[in-house]
């Protein structure tokens, strides 16, 4: 059996703050814990002929979904048949700033070995306490690769997780236990299950690992762009058939006359029996300029099957839809209200919002409704960017709290709102995370009235890191509270005005490109309440 030993050494020297990389904001989490190297482990490795060392930079990972975390990467460095001194390790890591390195040589598994984690940053190697963790290395290549992923995930959490007690458990011991549980396994899937089990002990459902396939889907959703044909598909539970949920407007699929409810039968001559929606979507995607041939069964009465050759193009997935709602105000005048529905905070959300506001201003809109219902969040930076479009000056957008309990306000710098017209924000129990940050920023700064129902209550920020095998680790790295210092986590934000969820039959004139949105807006009671609040606000403004 091959044993791997992790020697964790805790520094007694106080760490100074890290130096942020140029072009990035300073991390909210402290620099990594110091690890030290021990020269020999005779009691565990009787026949040790080589040292295997992983050199980890002080900051590891490039967060994608958080607003205020610098770029950090971790690439292991494997060293063969060489004793590495502490001083040499210090030079190797070069902790004065963020470093990005990737050097790797072959690694054998038939000999006894010792993993030595060494990390030195801003401190001399003054060590007072050590912990030796030994665990067996699997000889199954698939499982061994996941063991490396486990160590990578464990290190990230050890450094950045918001709770420094790790849910009141010994996180170093948890690594050893999980490695031992992995050792007899023979499949990667089973090994990944062990990682998920280890993460679940943190008591935080938002700290999790996802597969490379799931991460690819996440990136498409957050980037807002893909190369494909513009189809949204899903497996129909009763039949197991792949059916079309919708087509992106103007996409190759929409131009070819594919409609909601149509069944996807073949892709490039291959039947889709037993294929899940993600696998089918992968086949439909491809480089722009290439083509894909699909067979589609029409959802109409004829149910004919036709073959369609679709060109792949760059598809923009907009998280935003908008409409102009004319209505008669309390003084009898017909005014225009701009309605904006934001479904998620992707990388394109802020730009889409800016364009929508500008376009509606040009059409004579004098008040706005921002609908964040059932918006689960997304990129924190996108939420902050949208908030700044409605606010002026140096207002606080949100307060963050790091793992040491330090509060750091995130403020605007000489902000200039696109519009100062009255604004109502609609929220509900499905509004979470970045939605709550945005709603809190607009409400606490006196910019908007909140209408709807209490929000979800997710007051935590995650960083997202792509690991070496293409999987991704979500880690809760900070908590946040509203600008007025109201706690949000597991509490939510209560609106100023409640509205019923029932849909009322009260027709309206609505100018929108989306007929489905039009029909729903006609009888949405929360939108009616929002319009009433806008009327009241304008009426009070006129009287004063």
């Amino acid at each position: 059996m091959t044993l791997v030993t992790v020697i964790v050494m805790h520094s007694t020297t106080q760490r100074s703050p890290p130096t942020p990389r140029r072009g990035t904001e300073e991390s909210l989490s402290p620099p990594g814990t110091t690890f030290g190297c021990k020269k020999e482990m005779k009691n565990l490795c009787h026949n040790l002929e080589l040292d295997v060392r992983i050199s980890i930079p002080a900051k590891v990972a490039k967060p994608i979904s958080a607003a205020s975390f610098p770029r950090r990467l971790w690439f292991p460095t494997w060293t063969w048949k060489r004793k590495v001194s502490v001083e040499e390790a210090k030079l190797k890591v070069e902790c004065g700033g963020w470093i990005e390195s990737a050097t790797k040589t072959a690694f054998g598994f038939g000999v006894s070995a010792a993993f030595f984690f060494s990390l030195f940053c801003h401190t001399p190697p003054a060590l007072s306490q050590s912990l030796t963790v030994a665990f067996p290395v699997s000889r199954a290549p698939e499982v061994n690769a996941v063991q490396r992923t486990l160590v990578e995930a464990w290190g990230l959490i050890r450094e950045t997780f918001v709770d420094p007690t790790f849910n009141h458990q010994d996180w170093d011991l948890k690594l050893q236990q999980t490695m031992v549980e992995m050792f007899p396994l023979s499949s990667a899937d089973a090994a990944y299950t062990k990682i998920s089990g280890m993460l679940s002990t943190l008591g935080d459902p938002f700290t999790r690992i996802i597969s490379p396939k799931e991460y690819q889907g996440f990136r498409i959703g957050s980037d807002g762009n893909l190369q494909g044909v513009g189809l949204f598909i899903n497996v129909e539970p009763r039949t197991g058939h792949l059916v079309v949920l919708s087509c992106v407007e103007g996409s190759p699929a929409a131009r070819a006359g594919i409609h909601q409810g149509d069944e996807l039968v073949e892709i490039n001559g291959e039947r889709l029996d037993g294929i899940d929606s993600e696998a089918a979507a992968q086949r439909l995607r491809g480089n722009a300029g290439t083509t894909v041939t699909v067979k589609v069964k029409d959802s109409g009465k004829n149910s004919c099957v036709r073959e369609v050759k679709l060109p792949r193009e760059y598809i923009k997935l907009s998280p935003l839809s908008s409409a102009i709602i004319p209505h008669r105000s309390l003084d009898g005048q017909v005014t225009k209200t701009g309605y904006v529905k934001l479904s998620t905070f992707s990388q394109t959300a802020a730009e889409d919002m800016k364009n929508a506001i500008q376009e509606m201003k040009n059409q004579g809109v004098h008040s706005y409704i921002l609908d964040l219902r059932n918006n689960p969040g997304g990129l924190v930076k996108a939420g902050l960017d949208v908030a700044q479009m409605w606010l002026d000056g140096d207002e606080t957008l949100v307060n963050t709290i790091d793992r040491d309990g330090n509060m750091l306000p995130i403020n605007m710098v000489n902000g200039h709102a696109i519009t100062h017209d009255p604004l109502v924000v609609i929220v509900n129990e499905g509004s979470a995370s970045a939605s709550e940050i945005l709603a809190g920023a607009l409400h606490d700064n006196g910019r908007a009235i909140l209408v709807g129902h209490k929000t979800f209550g997710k007051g935590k920020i995650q960083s997202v890191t792509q690991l070496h095998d293409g999987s991704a680790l979500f880690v809760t790295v900070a908590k946040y509270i509203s600008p007025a210092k109201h706690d949000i986590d597991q509490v939510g934000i209560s609106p100023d005005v409640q509205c019923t969820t029932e849909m009322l039959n009260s027709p309206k004139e609505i100018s929108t490109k989306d007929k489905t949105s039009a029909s729903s807006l006609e009888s949405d009671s929360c939108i009616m309440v929002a319009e009433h609040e806008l009327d009241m606000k304008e009426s009070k403004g006129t009287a004063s």
Side-chain angles (χ1 to χ4, degrees), residues 130-152:
S130 67
L131 170 67
T132 301
V133 181
F135 51 82
V137 174
S138 172
R139 289 181 174 83
E142 286 186 10
V143 175
N144 183 260
V146 181
Q147 283 185 309
R148 177 183 169 186
T149 301
L150 168 63
V151 175
E152 193 174 3

Side-chain angles (χ1 to χ4, degrees), residues 84-157:
V84 182
S85 67
V86 167
E87 292 301 319
E88 186 177 351
K90 289 172 63 178
L91 294 175
K92 194 82 175 177
V93 174
E94 213 178 287
C95 284
W98 315 126
I99 68 170
E100 299 169 12
S101 63
T103 56
K104 182 167 62 174
T105 57
F107 183 69
F109 300 101
V111 295
S112 294
F115 267 172
F116 293 121
F117 285 130
S118 61
L119 186 155
F120 299 90
C121 193
H122 305 289
T123 59
L127 308 174
S128 63
Q129 185 180 8
S130 67
L131 170 67
T132 301
V133 181
F135 51 82
V137 174
S138 172
R139 289 181 174 83
E142 286 186 10
V143 175
N144 183 260
V146 181
Q147 283 185 309
R148 177 183 169 186
T149 301
L150 168 63
V151 175
E152 193 174 3
W154 169 84
L156 279 166
I157 291 168

Side-chain angles (χ1 to χ4, degrees), residues 26 30 93 102-103 108 119 136 151 176 204 230 316 319 327 389 485 498:
E26 186 174 351
V93 174
T103 56
L119 186 155
V151 175
Q176 181 185 28
D204 175 33
K316 183 178 179 181
H327 71 282
M389 297 177 190
K485 299 181 181 178
Q498 293 273 346

Side-chain angles (χ1 to χ4, degrees), residues 243-262:
V243 296
V244 176
L245 294 179
S246 63
C247 297
V248 176
E249 184 179 355
S251 66
R255 296 197 303 268
I258 298 176
H259 302 289
Q260 177 183 354
D262 290 353

Side-chain angles (χ1 to χ4, degrees), residues 100-371:
E100 299 169 12
S101 63
T103 56
K104 182 167 62 174
T105 57
F107 183 69
F109 300 101
V111 295
S112 294
F115 267 172
F116 293 121
F117 285 130
S118 61
L119 186 155
F120 299 90
C121 193
H122 305 289
T123 59
L127 308 174
S128 63
Q129 185 180 8
S130 67
L131 170 67
T132 301
V133 181
F135 51 82
V137 174
S138 172
R139 289 181 174 83
E142 286 186 10
V143 175
N144 183 260
V146 181
Q147 283 185 309
R148 177 183 169 186
T149 301
L150 168 63
V151 175
E152 193 174 3
W154 169 84
L156 279 166
I157 291 168
R158 193 179 198 277
E159 179 194 9
T160 64
F161 186 58
V162 68
D163 176 9
T165 73
F166 307 103
N167 198 23
H168 306 286
Q169 65 178 325
D170 187 333
W171 192 238
D172 302 322
L173 181 60
K174 181 59 67 175
L175 171 66
Q176 181 185 28
Q177 293 171 344
T178 307
M179 277 290 190
V180 171
E181 291 173 2
M182 272 191 186
F183 179 72
L185 303 178
S186 58
S187 73
D189 288 343
Y192 272 110
T193 301
K194 294 298 181 182
I195 297 181
S196 296
M198 181 184 77
L199 300 183
S200 69
T201 66
L202 293 169
D204 175 33
F206 306 111
T207 296
R208 66 195 191 280
I209 191 170
I210 61 174
S211 68
K213 183 185 295 184
E214 291 171 319
Y215 180 56
Q216 185 177 20
F218 169 83
R219 288 298 301 269
I220 289 172
S222 61
D223 292 347
N225 292 281
L226 62 85
Q227 297 179 62
V229 298
L231 274 178
F232 288 96
I233 56 178
N234 199 13
V235 175
E236 212 286 321
R238 292 183 298 102
T239 64
H241 297 161
L242 282 165
V243 296
V244 176
L245 294 179
S246 63
C247 297
V248 176
E249 184 179 355
S251 66
R255 296 197 303 268
I258 298 176
H259 302 289
Q260 177 183 354
D262 290 353
E263 180 187 338
L264 210 56
V265 180
E266 289 183 4
I267 299 177
N268 285 335
E270 295 184 12
R271 295 281 301 178
L272 299 177
D273 301 326
I275 300 296
D276 62 29
S277 57
E278 180 58 36
Q282 291 282 357
R283 298 183 188 183
L284 291 171
R285 297 171 193 151
N287 295 330
T290 61
T291 60
V292 59
T293 302
V294 300
K295 279 189 178 181
V296 181
K297 186 177 182 181
D298 187 70
S299 59
K301 294 181 179 180
N302 295 331
S303 297
C304 62
V305 176
R306 60 191 179 102
E307 187 173 280
V308 184
K309 190 174 185 179
L310 301 173
R312 293 186 177 104
E313 299 175 359
Y314 286 98
I315 307 295
K316 183 178 179 181
L317 304 176
S318 176
L320 183 147
S321 60
S322 61
I324 295 177
I325 309 175
H327 71 282
R328 192 172 300 277
S329 61
L330 296 176
D331 59 6
Q333 294 184 352
V334 176
T335 61
K336 294 181 178 179
T337 296
Y339 170 83
V340 183
K341 169 70 175 177
L342 191 58
S343 60
T344 188
F345 290 91
S346 68
Q347 289 184 7
T348 66
E351 186 65 26
D352 291 346
M353 177 67 72
K354 179 181 177 181
N355 294 336
I357 296 172
Q358 196 62 56
E359 182 179 342
M360 287 188 286
K361 279 183 65 178
N362 295 339
Q363 296 184 48
V365 165
H366 295 295
S367 59
Y368 294 87
I369 297 172
L370 175 56
D371 193 344

Side-chain angles (χ1 to χ4, degrees), residues 2-7 36-39 41 45 48-55 76-84 104-118 135 137 144:
T2 302
L3 285 178
V4 172
T5 306
V6 178
I7 306 158
C37 298
K38 191 175 271 190
K39 201 169 184 180
M41 297 293 296
C45 306
L48 181 61
E49 296 180 359
L50 57 93
D51 285 341
V52 182
R53 176 179 53 84
I54 296 182
S55 178
T77 301
W78 308 94
T79 304
W80 272 85
K81 291 188 177 180
R82 186 178 173 200
K83 302 292 182 181
V84 182
K104 182 167 62 174
T105 57
F107 183 69
F109 300 101
V111 295
S112 294
F115 267 172
F116 293 121
F117 285 130
S118 61
F135 51 82
V137 174
N144 183 260

